[in-house]
Amino acid sequence: MALIEFVTKHFRRGTRRDQLPGRVRTALNERERANEIMARLIQLTIVMIFSLIYAISPKTSPDEAFSPVPYVLGAYLFFSIVGLIWSIRQRLPHWAVYGSILFDFGLLYSLMISFHIQYMQPASFILKAPTLLYVFIFIAIRALRFESRFVLVSGMAAAAGWAAMMFYVIRIDPGDNMLTRSYVDYLTSNSILIGAEIDKILSILLVTGVLTLVVNASNNLLVTAVTEQVAASDLSRFFDTSVASGIRENAERLEAGKGETREAAILFVDIRGFTRMAADMEASEVMATLSHYQSRIVPIVQNCGGVIDKFIGDGIMATFSIGGDRPASSAAAVQAAERILLDVQKWSAEDPALNAVHASGIGIGVASGSVAFGAVGQENRLEITVIGSAVNYSAKLEKHNKVLGSQLIVADNTYREALASGFKSSLIAQFQNTQVEGTTGQQAIVVLDIAGAVQPFGRQQRPVEPIRR
């Protein structure tokens, strides 16, 4: 009883496919379609092998005798090509798969019958042909669809076909059906041993049963794997691409409380006055504006080697950590900041949805230093984050743009690290010492601006200190 319950439960699991989300079923259908194409290619290969063997084998029949084998092989080749083209163009419906199974075995057994006619041998010659081994290949091919019903139908068609072949051989010449009970006579002549043929049918059915169990188990694994893959793909959209890849490839399980120290540069971007702006907009308009805004910023950050750490309303935080090389990380962060500022100038012309954002302006802050990178939260709710003084300082610099009426401020040491690593700025750099809210004492900063640009808040620029080499 336990065994029956296990098998029943095991087979029931296969019904879960009907309850799967549409996108998961689509992914499974695509896998099955690819496997169906592979099955068609294997079938085409088999018929080509048949044709090659026939072409090089010696012909024992007279030249004027009727030769059915070429016609059967030709039909088999034609329909194999048609099936391959059909499966490439679209996913085959189930009725087409069932019809294909019956047609394949029909042609295979017709080919075997044509051999005894071609070579003018008694009908029992069919039962001795090694072509029977291809029956098992045809059954196995159906396992590629990962649906046990196709394997079952193939096995039943193969067993029924072989039983029909036995009937044909026995009844084609009732007066001399060559039946024997001697195993030796069966092996050394064209005699027919019913028990041996029944053994073949049982072998076909047993192989079918085993493959059905294997395919059913494989189908459950496939459904689970595709479901997890689709879920992982969807969830990875909530992480930066490189972070999601790191989580997948990490040998250790991601846990809260584990982290590492990195040398990194941090970039903050924020829209000026977006909260007031959003108060006069519909919710869908707010989200659409943010989507357009993020679609301009994120690619620039990623192309410069940055990792999007988080979206905080209209704010974006990105981390640049290039192989522990802080000057290179600083250069990448400053380069991304400059590209963002230059891109902002094109928003009105290229994306009308960002007109209001362009008019309001943005603020960017960049700083570098040692940060702690890791996961925070609880077991069932984790978040990858970066913590450190560089993170806090870059956020303060971003906000300090409101005080100076600027759009891009970089920490002095970060900018000099970028220059030391070979970075070439395309903006005007103003070196200043100023009081930044939330910090103690005067802070050395660099205000970057586009040549000839008018500062959006109308503040006067601070005196520029000469660059210290």
Side-chain angles (χ1 to χ4, degrees):
M1 289 296 295
L3 178 60
I4 294 175
E5 291 177 1
F6 170 78
V7 173
T8 303
K9 180 181 179 181
H10 189 69
F11 270 90
R12 278 180 185 166
R13 291 179 62 192
T15 61
R16 292 186 305 159
R17 181 175 296 204
D18 297 333
Q19 304 168 2
L20 294 173
R23 65 186 187 281
V24 178
R25 290 199 300 271
T26 299
L28 287 170
N29 290 339
E30 288 301 317
R31 292 283 186 92
E32 290 180 350
R33 182 182 175 189
N35 287 346
E36 181 65 34
I37 294 174
M38 184 183 298
R40 294 293 169 181
L41 288 171
I42 294 173
Q43 287 176 306
L44 184 61
T45 302
I46 290 173
V47 70
M48 293 178 68
I49 291 173
F50 280 162
S51 301
L52 178 62
I53 293 174
Y54 177 78
I56 64 177
S57 61
K59 309 299 182 294
T60 57
S61 58
D63 294 338
E64 65 276 5
F66 173 69
S67 301
V69 174
Y71 296 98
V72 177
L73 286 174
Y76 201 175
L77 179 62
F78 172 77
F79 286 107
S80 295
I81 294 174
V82 169
L84 176 61
I85 295 174
W86 189 3
S87 61
I88 290 175
R89 292 176 64 88
Q90 66 181 53
R91 181 173 181 266
L92 295 182
H94 287 167
W95 65 264
V97 179
Y98 289 129
S100 172
I101 291 170
L102 297 176
F103 183 79
D104 288 342
F105 282 106
L107 280 177
L108 179 63
Y109 287 134
S110 297
L111 182 64
M112 295 172 70
I113 292 174
S114 68
F115 283 152
H116 95 89
I117 298 174
Q118 173 83 22
Y119 296 105
M120 295 182 293
Q121 294 294 317
S124 59
F125 179 76
I126 300 171
L127 304 179
K128 303 296 181 69
T131 314
L132 171 66
L133 298 176
Y134 287 94
V135 167
F136 297 99
I137 296 177
F138 279 13
I139 297 173
I141 286 174
R142 291 303 160 191
L144 291 173
R145 282 291 295 260
F146 289 103
E147 291 195 50
S148 54
R149 54 182 166 176
F150 295 140
V151 177
L152 279 172
V153 171
S154 295
M156 292 170 62
W162 195 254
M165 296 280 281
M166 287 175 54
F167 182 79
Y168 168 80
V169 171
I170 293 172
R171 301 302 300 172
I172 191 172
D173 187 4
D176 184 15
N177 54 31
M178 304 181 69
L179 291 175
T180 183
R181 293 188 177 183
S182 171
Y183 190 67
V184 175
D185 290 343
Y186 167 73
L187 291 177
T188 58
S189 68
N190 282 328
S191 298
I192 304 169
L193 181 63
I194 297 298
E197 305 311 320
I198 292 176
D199 281 345
K200 294 176 184 178
I201 294 176
L202 290 176
S203 298
I204 292 172
L205 294 176
L206 285 172
V207 169
T208 300
V210 172
L211 277 178
T212 300
L213 289 172
V214 171
V215 168
N216 187 72
S218 299
N219 178 65
N220 292 332
L221 291 175
L222 176 66
V223 170
T224 301
V226 172
T227 302
E228 294 294 336
Q229 183 181 32
V230 171
S233 177
D234 288 344
L235 289 174
S236 67
R237 295 166 60 196
F238 292 89
F239 296 94
D240 185 271
T241 304
S242 60
V243 174
S245 177
I247 293 173
R248 286 195 301 268
E249 297 172 0
N250 198 334
E252 296 184 4
R253 185 171 182 264
L254 184 65
E255 295 180 2
K258 290 186 176 181
E260 60 182 65
T261 301
R262 294 183 180 180
E263 294 296 324
I266 309 298
L267 179 148
F268 265 94
V269 187
D270 189 73
I271 301 174
R272 289 285 158 261
F274 187 77
T275 302
R276 295 191 303 273
M277 187 192 312
D280 299 325
M281 301 166 65
E282 296 291 335
S284 59
E285 188 179 358
V286 172
M287 301 310 295
T289 301
L290 283 176
S291 178
H292 282 261
Y293 156 69
Q294 291 162 354
S295 70
R296 304 287 301 209
I297 303 293
V298 172
I300 294 175
V301 170
Q302 292 178 334
N303 288 338
C304 291
V307 173
I308 301 298
D309 184 88
K310 58 175 64 69
F311 296 101
I312 312 169
D314 59 303
I316 300 174
M317 173 183 168
T319 303
F320 296 78
S321 180
I322 302 174
D325 186 343
R326 199 165 98 181
S329 302
S330 297
V334 177
Q335 182 184 49
E338 290 196 359
R339 288 185 180 181
I340 291 171
L341 190 58
L342 291 170
D343 188 64
V344 169
Q345 311 310 309
K346 301 183 289 185
W347 286 4
S348 291
E350 297 180 0
D351 196 339
L354 294 175
N355 281 339
V357 176
H358 178 262
S360 179
I362 65 170
I364 308 173
V366 182
S368 58
S370 297
V371 298
F373 176 86
V376 295
Q378 293 299 313
E379 183 65 23
N380 59 350
R381 175 63 175 88
L382 298 178
E383 181 176 322
I384 302 294
T385 191
V386 178
I387 300 173
S389 58
V391 178
N392 298 330
Y393 190 40
S394 62
K396 291 180 174 66
L397 291 179
E398 181 273 312
K399 289 182 174 60
H400 196 63
N401 281 293
K402 296 180 182 179
V403 177
L404 299 183
S406 58
Q407 296 190 88
L408 171 55
I409 300 177
V410 181
D412 184 273
N413 67 312
T414 301
Y415 190 73
R416 294 182 185 281
E417 287 172 354
L419 295 178
S421 69
F423 172 72
K424 303 295 183 183
S425 177
S426 58
L427 303 181
I428 295 177
Q430 304 176 40
F431 292 77
Q432 302 184 19
N433 287 322
T434 184
Q435 176 66 49
V436 177
E437 184 179 356
T439 64
T440 303
Q442 295 286 306
Q443 302 295 320
I445 64 172
V446 181
V447 179
L448 298 175
D449 206 349
I450 300 171
V454 178
Q455 296 186 20
F457 293 89
R459 300 290 185 89
Q460 295 296 318
Q461 296 179 350
R462 302 292 180 89
V464 179
E465 290 188 354
I467 184 169
R468 297 182 294 274
R469 297 294 181 183

